[in-house]
Amino acid sequence: MAYALVDLSESIVKASAASAPGSIHQSFGGGKGAAPDIRVSVGDTVQVTIFEAVSGGLFIPKDSGTRPGNFVTLPSQVVERSGSISIPYAGRVPVVGRTLNEIQEDIVSRLSNRAIEPQALVTFVDRASEVAVVGDVNASAKLKVNFEGDRVLDMISRAGGLRYAGHETYVTLQRRGRKATVYFNRLVQEPRENIFVAPGDTVYVYREQRFFTAFGASGLQGRFDFDAEKLYLADGVGKAGGLLDSRADPGQVFLYRMENRRMLEQQGVSLENFPVDQKQIPTIYRVNMRQGQGLFLAQKMEMRDRDVIYVSNADQVELTKFLNLVNDVSSTVSGVSSDALVTRNSIRALGR
C-alpha cells in the first residue's frame, strides 16, 4: 500500500489544523449573511391582500367611497398538493417553491389589465414546513422554522440541547438526499459552519467518543479516549505512557492518518504514486523528539479521531533481540566464542 511520509514542520502543523475533516458549510454553504428567502411549501397557510388605487375597480365597489388603502383581504388558503392557490380574476397561481415577493409580482401581473393599478401583499398565516432534530438531544422533535430563519445551533437548542458533552458529539445535516457531518465544537467555534436550516432538513445529533491508538515502544499500548476537546501529539504520547527509556527511539515517532490531498499538495508533498482522483491520502508524519523543535511541534500538532501513534524501537534494542536469539541456539564453547565475535562486529557496525 502506498503512503506519504512527511517530516513534521511548522507549516505542516498549521495546514493540518486548517484542513480538519468534517464540514457542513462546504457541502451546503449558507454560513454567512442574511437568512435565505423563505419559500412556500405544500401545507403552508397563506393570506393574500389586494390593493387598488381608487374605488370602482375590480375589487373595490365604486359606491363604497374612498377607504384607507382601498384593499380587500381574501380568505386564508392552505397550499394543496397541486402547488397553487386560487385568486379571483387571476385564476390558479402557482406558489410552491416561490418566495412571497415572486408570488406577489405574479398576482399583480395577472390583474394589471383588469384592476386599477393593483398591488398585492402575500403573508404566511402558518407554516407546515418543519425541521426534524433527532438523536442525542434532550427533546427530539419536529420544529417549525422561524420567519427570521434558524441556524443549526438554534434548532439543537430548541430541541433541548445536547445530551452529552460537546467534545463527544457530532452533528449530521441531511437535505434533499445529501448529507454532511461536522464535529459539534467546530460548529460552535467556526460561525460559518453554523448554517441556516431549510424546511425538510433533518439534524441528527450523535455521541461518538474520539480515540487514538498507540503501538511500539511506548509505556502503554492500545486504544485511548481523547477525554478532551483538543488533544495534541505530545499529549497523546503522554497518555500512552511516554517513551520507554530502554526501548524507544525518540527520533522516530510516527503519526498515521488519512490526510486531505489538497493540503498535502499545497505543502509540496509528492503524490505521484496516488491516483489523481484519490481525495484522502494515507499519510505518516514523522517527528524527531530528540530535538527541541520536534517537541514544540508535537505540542502544536492536533490529533484527530482514530489517529495512530507508533514509537519505533532504538537500534540497540534490535541488536539485543538478535543477540538473545544467538544465545538461545548457542550450546558449545565454540558457539560462545562465535557469539563474542558476532557481538563485537555488531557493536562496531552500530557505531559507524
Side-chain angles (χ1 to χ4, degrees):
M1 177 180 179
Y3 60 87
L5 178 61
V6 182
D7 286 315
L8 211 57
S9 65
E10 191 74 35
S11 62
I12 287 289
V13 168
K14 291 180 179 179
S16 177
S19 65
S23 172
I24 55 178
H25 173 265
Q26 292 179 3
S27 297
F28 299 109
K32 295 182 178 180
D37 291 330
I38 297 176
R39 299 182 180 274
V40 177
S41 303
V42 173
D44 289 348
T45 302
V46 296
Q47 189 173 69
V48 179
T49 300
I50 299 174
F51 297 79
E52 288 191 276
V54 296
S55 60
L58 190 62
F59 293 95
I60 311 300
K62 188 173 184 179
D63 56 4
S64 65
T66 301
R67 300 183 303 178
N70 285 323
F71 65 88
V72 60
T73 299
L74 304 178
S76 301
Q77 299 184 59
V78 177
V79 180
E80 301 176 351
R81 292 189 178 277
S82 62
S84 60
I85 58 175
S86 181
I87 304 296
Y89 307 107
R92 301 292 293 180
V93 179
V95 295
V96 169
R98 306 175 79 180
T99 66
L100 298 183
N101 284 336
E102 291 171 345
I103 299 169
Q104 290 169 177
E105 292 173 359
D106 192 3
I107 293 173
V108 169
S109 175
R110 291 167 180 257
L111 297 174
S112 59
N113 294 329
R114 309 185 69 176
I116 301 175
E117 299 181 22
Q119 297 292 318
L121 177 65
V122 182
T123 58
F124 282 110
V125 176
D126 190 23
R127 298 202 67 198
S129 301
E130 298 173 319
V131 170
V133 185
V134 297
D136 289 326
V137 291
N138 288 309
S140 296
K142 278 191 171 183
L143 303 170
K144 293 182 179 179
V145 181
N146 291 319
F147 293 116
E148 65 272 19
D150 284 305
R151 296 178 182 269
V152 175
L153 288 178
D154 296 327
M155 303 308 292
I156 294 175
S157 176
R158 290 171 60 189
L162 301 180
R163 190 177 300 172
Y164 301 102
H167 68 263
E168 298 178 350
T169 303
Y170 289 82
V171 178
T172 296
L173 177 66
Q174 296 182 359
R175 176 180 299 172
R176 294 191 293 273
R178 298 168 57 200
K179 68 177 182 178
T181 299
V182 64
Y183 179 46
F184 178 81
N185 282 359
R186 185 179 184 189
L187 191 64
V188 174
Q189 294 164 0
E190 300 182 26
R192 72 171 189 169
E193 290 294 331
N194 188 26
I195 69 173
F196 285 101
V197 296
D201 283 356
T202 296
V203 177
Y204 174 51
V205 180
Y206 65 97
R207 180 193 190 195
E208 184 172 305
Q209 289 185 310
R210 297 181 301 158
F211 67 90
F212 70 94
T213 308
F215 298 104
S218 57
L220 301 171
Q221 299 186 35
R223 167 177 163 161
F224 302 88
D225 292 332
F226 276 38
D227 294 327
E229 178 182 342
K230 287 187 177 182
L231 191 73
Y232 299 91
L233 177 56
D235 301 325
V237 173
K239 285 178 74 74
L243 308 181
L244 291 177
D245 291 339
S246 60
R247 289 182 51 193
D249 181 357
Q252 299 288 327
V253 178
F254 301 94
L255 178 66
Y256 296 66
R257 70 164 54 143
M258 299 297 291
E259 191 59 270
N260 182 279
R261 182 190 190 97
R262 180 179 299 179
M263 186 279 284
L264 293 175
E265 289 176 338
Q266 291 174 347
Q267 293 301 310
V269 178
S270 175
L271 302 178
E272 59 183 13
N273 294 328
F274 301 93
V276 294
D277 59 345
Q278 185 173 341
K279 303 301 182 183
Q280 295 295 313
I281 305 298
T283 305
I284 301 176
Y285 291 110
R286 179 170 57 191
V287 58
N288 184 353
M289 299 185 76
R290 278 199 183 99
Q291 301 175 346
Q293 175 73 1
L295 291 172
F296 284 120
L297 291 174
Q299 289 180 324
K300 296 179 180 180
M301 184 66 172
E302 289 188 32
M303 295 190 63
R304 298 183 193 158
D305 188 27
R306 289 174 170 76
D307 275 356
V308 176
I309 294 176
Y310 177 75
V311 181
S312 64
N313 288 324
D315 292 338
Q316 294 90 334
V317 174
E318 300 303 325
L319 173 61
T320 301
K321 290 180 180 178
F322 173 70
L323 294 179
N324 288 337
L325 176 62
V326 172
N327 185 63
D328 289 341
V329 298
S330 296
S331 57
T332 64
V333 174
S334 60
V336 173
S337 300
S338 176
D339 290 348
L341 179 60
V342 169
T343 301
R344 184 187 64 188
N345 292 338
S346 298
I347 293 175
R348 288 177 177 174
L350 186 62
R352 292 174 184 172

